[in-house]
Amino acid sequence: MQQTKKNQGFTLIELMVTIAVMGIIATIAAPSFRELMQQRRIENSIQDFEKIIMQARYDAVLLRKKVTINFSGTGAISPTNLYWSVTNSDDNLIFRNFTCSSNKWVGVEVAGIKKLEFSPKGSVDLLKTTTDSNNNTTTSNVTLTVVEIELSNSKAKKFIEITPFGKISSSKESKEGTGCS
């Protein structure tokens, strides 16, 4: 009687083909994974930012004091001063002030925003900082109808809307061009 011996394990060729196929799949999947990570980073940042805005509004009403969110630099956090900044250099923070014109929302970008301030009533003001040719810095309030804050990078955009009365909401789409009355 003849006994046959079964092969155990893989040949070198089988292993090399398997590794080559895995390498091709990884090369194809890497850009998608990178895009997914950028979208996740924006989503996490917008959630964090929205929580800070809500906390500032609630604190202003609760403490009956102005509460300020500072967008540049760092400092000592207190009940009336909070700090938030974009954590990644690829991310952009854009402020737009919206008005209702011809039954559509029209946004105008507002540059130089350094602070967002909630009053004891919960309403909101944007504080704009400008520097003149003599390096004199002035801070002024921006008159608001509705402010939209866009946080974006090359792969993702998210928006936070704040009404003058302090109502806060987030969305995936800008309100630019949508209907109003």
Side-chain angles (χ1 to χ4, degrees):
M1 216 165 116
Q2 187 179 21
Q3 279 187 324
T4 59
K5 204 174 189 185
K6 288 189 175 184
N7 289 337
Q8 294 179 350
F10 300 103
T11 66
L12 182 59
I13 298 292
E14 290 172 328
L15 288 173
M16 288 174 58
V17 168
T18 303
I19 290 172
V21 168
M22 289 174 56
I24 291 168
I25 291 171
T27 303
I28 292 169
S32 298
F33 183 71
R34 191 172 308 130
E35 186 175 312
L36 178 66
M37 293 303 293
Q38 287 178 330
Q39 289 174 345
R40 274 299 204 203
R41 189 177 64 237
I42 288 293
E43 287 174 11
N44 290 340
S45 293
I46 208 79
Q47 287 173 353
D48 180 47
F49 189 32
E50 191 174 13
K51 286 176 187 176
I52 287 177
I53 292 171
M54 284 185 198
Q55 184 65 48
R57 182 174 187 267
Y58 295 147
D59 287 348
V61 172
L62 183 67
L63 300 172
R64 293 190 169 97
K65 292 182 180 180
K66 284 186 177 184
V67 175
T68 304
I69 300 173
N70 299 282
F71 294 115
S72 59
T74 58
I77 295 175
S78 71
T80 57
N81 273 309
L82 303 172
Y83 292 85
W84 190 86
S85 62
V86 176
T87 55
N88 192 309
S89 61
D90 295 338
D91 297 345
N92 299 311
L93 190 64
I94 300 169
F95 293 85
R96 289 187 191 90
N97 193 13
F98 279 85
T99 55
C100 187
S101 177
S102 301
N103 295 326
K104 292 196 177 203
W105 287 110
V106 178
V108 176
E109 190 172 324
V110 182
I113 299 298
K114 301 293 183 193
K115 296 178 181 184
L116 182 74
E117 189 173 81
F118 285 94
S119 75
K121 294 180 181 179
S123 60
V124 66
D125 288 317
L126 285 178
L127 301 176
K128 179 179 178 176
T129 303
T130 54
T131 306
D132 64 15
S133 59
N134 297 328
N135 286 334
N136 295 323
T137 304
T138 57
T139 301
S140 58
N141 282 0
V142 176
T143 304
L144 296 177
T145 50
V146 173
V147 67
E148 180 180 81
I149 304 167
E150 175 186 326
L151 183 60
S152 63
N153 61 25
S154 61
K155 300 293 181 189
K157 287 184 181 180
K158 296 288 182 177
F159 302 90
I160 293 178
E161 177 186 322
I162 307 172
T163 67
F165 300 111
K167 180 184 174 213
I168 302 160
S169 60
S170 63
S171 69
K172 294 180 181 181
E173 302 292 326
S174 174
K175 72 184 296 122
E176 182 76 40
T178 60
C180 62
S181 54

